[in-house]
Amino acid sequence: MLGAQEWAKAQVQAEQHLKTQPTDPQMRLLMSRIQEGQGLAAAAMATLQGLTQSFPELPEPHNNLAALLARQNRYAEALLALQAAVRARPDYATALENMGDVYVALAIEAYQNANRSMPQPRTANKRLAAEQLLKASAP
């Protein structure tokens, strides 16, 4: 149902499952994806935050929360969530890659701020290079 973006059907089934097993981390993670698919980013973030509190040892909720935060340009918070994901599983390649992307986004912000304070071709060129790096790696 998720692949077909049948969010309403998926939500009904997920809610039915959660009535009998309210702490099921996989279903709660799935619910956050359903909420995100429905355009309910705040609800998805709340679901993921609850998951990270209930199951801090699971890296996926931290990573998914970071992705939502990064989409809102909340890079410092996203970085904290990714650090938690990597602490939970140091070899989690997706979180490590996302962490790299967040660091690049933070670098872009820093170059923009530097250029506003004292415009220089060097900082503008660095910002452009970092932006191109992010664009080249986008799916």
Side-chain angles (χ1 to χ4, degrees), residues 9-138:
K9 287 181 184 178
Q11 182 178 5
V12 168
Q13 287 192 353
E15 286 173 349
Q16 287 175 348
H17 179 84
L18 288 170
K19 284 181 184 176
T20 60
Q21 297 178 7
T23 61
D24 180 346
Q26 292 297 60
M27 191 56 66
R28 289 168 65 190
L29 188 63
L30 188 63
M31 181 59 85
S32 73
R33 291 183 57 209
I34 293 166
Q35 292 165 328
E36 181 184 0
Q38 293 174 320
L40 304 171
M45 290 172 68
T47 299
L48 290 167
Q49 286 171 333
L51 260 172
T52 63
Q53 292 168 0
S54 299
F55 300 95
E57 71 279 7
L58 296 178
E60 292 86 357
H62 295 287
N63 180 70
N64 293 7
L65 177 60
L68 291 174
L69 290 164
R71 284 190 206 127
Q72 295 180 352
N73 299 327
R74 295 165 60 183
Y75 300 118
E77 294 170 81
L79 183 57
L80 291 173
L82 289 166
Q83 289 169 338
V86 172
R87 272 193 308 277
R89 193 166 91 206
D91 65 342
Y92 189 22
T94 301
L96 291 165
E97 179 183 356
N98 289 342
M99 188 180 290
D101 291 344
V102 167
Y103 278 127
V104 172
L106 286 167
I108 291 168
E109 282 185 352
Y111 294 139
Q112 288 171 333
N113 292 337
N115 209 39
R116 274 194 290 273
S117 296
M118 182 187 230
Q120 293 186 12
R122 181 181 69 232
T123 55
N125 290 337
K126 287 180 179 182
R127 190 202 77 216
L128 288 173
E131 288 172 346
Q132 289 174 349
L133 177 64
L134 274 184
K135 285 179 188 174
S137 67

